[in-house]
Amino acid sequence: MKYEGVKWVWFDLDDTLIDFHANSRLANAIIYREAGLDRYYATPEQWIEAYEGHNRLLWDRYSRGEITQGFLRVDRFATPLSPRWAGSREDLEAFCWRLDREYLDRLAEQTVMIDGAVEQLSRLRAHYNIGVLSNGFKEVQHRKLENTGLAPLVDLVVLSDDVGFNKPDLRILWCSAMTWASTNLTCVSLPMP
């Protein structure tokens, strides 16, 4: 596969190259055990179901710029826990910040990939520069690339944290173009097969 005049191929990291949902479930199962979430949910599966349903809604709002990253990071844990929480709101928020740090650390350690991602990147890498655009948090996305072995296949990573715009805002593409110091927008974004 070769596109005439195209120099860059851009990918989203989560759920295009890295299986975010599988990795998130693994990370949540770990923090369920480590943080003693069995006090609030009888099984890891119950916790993960409550977390995922709310987290998905928050990410939709975050991508549209309706909420801040800080709100997302606390509330994705606070809302599923709050009906079962006996302490103060302040204690809940402090606990949720701790869960957030632990979750992101564990998430970065997981290495489940989308089938064929490495092979596809390797094939494309022979002909194009490879870029990654992501709304994921900067403290975890680079670690994911390293831990999955994708880092050597990627030439440039542009994160919404770094440029101030979330996908699908087209300004993130402009920032990407400025980052690679080219006004020649000869690039293509491909979904994985």
Side-chain angles (χ1 to χ4, degrees):
M1 159 184 351
K2 179 84 170 127
Y3 294 96
E4 191 63 39
V6 172
K7 296 176 185 167
W8 286 85
V9 178
W10 290 88
F11 290 90
D12 188 1
L13 186 59
D14 292 319
D15 288 331
T16 302
L17 301 174
I18 294 174
D19 190 335
F20 171 79
H21 293 290
N23 291 328
S24 178
R25 289 179 185 127
L26 291 168
N28 263 304
I30 293 168
I31 67 163
Y32 175 86
R33 289 188 307 275
E34 292 180 348
L37 296 180
D38 58 337
R39 295 173 287 172
Y40 312 105
Y41 285 88
T43 66
E45 293 76 21
Q46 288 175 346
W47 161 248
I48 291 167
E49 182 180 340
Y51 170 89
E52 284 182 340
H54 188 59
N55 189 51
R56 190 176 8 243
L57 296 173
L58 291 174
W59 271 97
D60 287 344
R61 293 181 63 202
Y62 179 68
S63 292
R64 291 190 305 267
E66 295 173 2
I67 61 172
T68 66
Q69 184 185 121
F71 181 83
L72 183 153
R73 291 175 71 167
V74 169
D75 198 64
R76 62 182 170 179
F77 296 103
T79 292
L81 288 173
S82 62
R84 300 155 191 246
W85 186 262
S88 70
R89 180 70 186 179
E90 184 178 277
D91 289 343
L92 174 61
E93 287 184 11
F95 182 65
C96 291
W97 275 115
R98 190 182 110 217
L99 287 177
D100 178 70
R101 286 187 303 276
E102 292 174 13
Y103 168 75
L104 292 177
D105 282 344
R106 295 305 188 185
L107 182 62
E109 295 169 355
Q110 308 311 310
T111 59
V112 180
M113 303 287 295
I114 297 295
D115 287 341
V118 172
E119 296 80 8
Q120 179 78 337
L121 277 184
S122 296
R123 279 193 300 277
L124 290 168
R125 186 76 177 84
H127 304 286
Y128 307 104
N129 294 306
I130 302 296
V132 167
L133 289 172
S134 178
N135 286 346
F137 307 143
K138 63 183 167 187
E139 60 264 291
V140 72
Q141 297 303 76
H142 290 285
R143 289 175 52 209
K144 286 182 188 178
L145 285 166
E146 290 296 329
N147 291 339
T148 58
L150 291 176
L153 299 172
V154 175
D155 297 296
L156 184 61
V157 178
V158 177
L159 302 175
S160 59
D161 272 2
D162 293 328
V163 298
F165 305 106
N166 289 339
K167 295 182 298 118
D169 189 323
L170 293 178
R171 290 177 291 180
I172 196 171
L173 295 175
W174 175 251
C175 290
S176 301
M178 296 306 292
T179 302
W180 80 72
S182 169
T183 56
N184 182 7
L185 296 177
T186 54
C187 61
V188 65
S189 177
L190 296 175
M192 294 304 293

